[in-house]
Amino acid sequence: MFNSANELEFLEETTAEISQLSSLALSGDPACGENSSTGSPEKTGYPDSVYILAANIFQGTRLEKSPEKALIKYGNKPLPSSTESEDESFQRLSYELAFSALKYQDILETILIDSYIFPSTTIPDHLNSLIIVMLYDFQDRKFQARLLSGNEESIAEVLEVENLLNSFKTKLAAALARCRIKHDALSIYHILPETVRNQELRASTLPLYAWINTCKISPEEVYYTLKKNGYNKVKSVLHIDNKVFAVDQHCYDVLIFPSHLKSDLLNIDLFKDYKLIFQDKSRSLAVHSVKALLNMDDDILMVNTGSWYTVAHMSVLTNNNTSKIFVCGVQSQAKDPDLKNLFTKMGCKNIEILHETFMKLELKDHRLQKVKVILLLPRCSGLGVSNPVEFILNEHEDTDLLKDFSQGGPSEDKLHVLAQQQYEQLTHAMKFTRAQAIVYCTCSVYPEENEAIVKKALEFQDHGIKVQPYSGTHLRQCL
């Protein structure tokens, strides 16, 4: 209840300027630059199934708070999702929405309390994650009504939450404005921790990378097809808004695109037919580093591959060799037909799947006697990637990565656990004495997962084994 003329005047101004307030809400967010540009379509909301999946992702990754600090209680029961949630485009939208809600969890919870939705609402606790993700979207589209397509099937839980938020629209806008004024912030983006804002800024400036599947198409054919679709080849794509691409200076089969062209590129048949594959550049650097160390008949052992696209890229690069690529850790044999089907579609022929985990592989395993290079891609904090959503979807990473990104980094305890796992895997790889090289690649910015692990592992090595010198010229050029 407002107790003064000034507060009443503030509410009236808020009611009249909801759109203006909400447009300020994320105006400073570099990740939203594309949507806020002149001529961009207004945001109209998401299908019901996207909200449901986003709520489940948020529920599983949200920041847990102690009982005395918890403003809102969340249930433990996930919401039932539809078969549409298995669609990659729906998953991408859902993960992006959940990630945004995670970043602004504290602010969104404060707005819900300050607007008196809590504790007045009678909606059950298990729908509170849905309230959070739908509130983020509601303010992001300027508190305007969602536009629904005629053939979309409604979900009762989404409709219930939507009606609740609409009924509190004025109070929510007022609470958002008070939060912004309290922090003397132009937008709620500027309330985020500096580490998170720096990550957002860095991610907004990084380009997209895609590698050419030369088993199916030549680079020249790719250039020609892109040119037919309005793309021009340039030397650098930094700070260019046009439809352009460039060839990466480190990996000859990798193309670089401005990040805002992602949706347009996905509609080109090159990507639909596995001729061009989006992937983080770190993975391409890893497989090219392995390729530089191989002889024609050397085998490769890949550990913790994450994305099967990394395996496929390694296969494509060794297509003219007699090398075999052993991939360990595929514990479910039920995946074999799907994997073989994918590799067949991509033109890959020299891949052999091992169902044992790497740590259980024996040094004298007869299948691995010709392995000369081990590619170790350990699970890591991942703070070096540009887009955590794409990384999770493409590399099959743990969704907890979203929580770490939303907080600016992993906890000290988690970093210690990851570093210990990395050390154990690297020292196990060093026991395969027939291997002549190990390529160790993380997507981490922390020395604890990189230089410190390698240094510690080298100190562990049996001093009775003579270490062959390796200049590492190619690796230094890549990095």
Side-chain angles (χ1 to χ4, degrees), residues 140-156:
D140 197 34
R141 64 174 193 268
K142 306 178 183 180
F143 293 100
Q144 300 303 305
R146 183 168 59 120
L147 299 181
L148 300 175
S149 60
N151 58 355
E152 185 179 338
E153 186 177 344
S154 296
I155 298 176

Side-chain angles (χ1 to χ4, degrees), residues 27-89:
S27 61
D29 189 343
C32 298
E34 183 184 349
N35 294 320
S36 61
S37 62
T38 303
S40 296
E42 291 292 328
K43 295 183 178 180
T44 58
Y46 299 98
D48 287 15
S49 55
V50 168
Y51 290 122
I52 294 293
L53 182 55
N56 286 338
I57 296 168
F58 176 85
Q59 173 68 20
T61 55
R62 63 182 173 80
L63 183 64
E64 296 277 0
K65 300 179 181 179
S66 59
E68 62 273 12
K69 293 183 178 180
L71 299 178
I72 295 174
K73 294 181 180 179
Y74 295 90
N76 297 318
K77 185 172 66 173
L79 298 170
S81 57
S82 66
T83 54
E84 282 184 323
S85 63
E86 298 175 6
D87 180 84
E88 185 177 341
S89 61

Side-chain angles (χ1 to χ4, degrees), residues 326 354 356 360-371 432 434:
F326 293 97
L354 306 179
E356 300 93 331
K360 290 184 178 180
L361 283 177
E362 297 183 2
L363 309 184
K364 296 181 180 180
D365 191 313
H366 69 278
R367 297 167 297 183
L368 308 178
Q369 296 311 298
K370 289 179 62 180
V371 167
F432 288 81
R434 287 181 177 270

Side-chain angles (χ1 to χ4, degrees), residues 108-126:
L108 295 171
E109 289 179 347
T110 300
I111 290 171
L112 288 170
I113 296 294
D114 194 29
S115 65
Y116 297 103
I117 283 186
F118 289 98
S120 64
T121 181
T122 58
I123 286 183
D125 290 350
H126 76 276

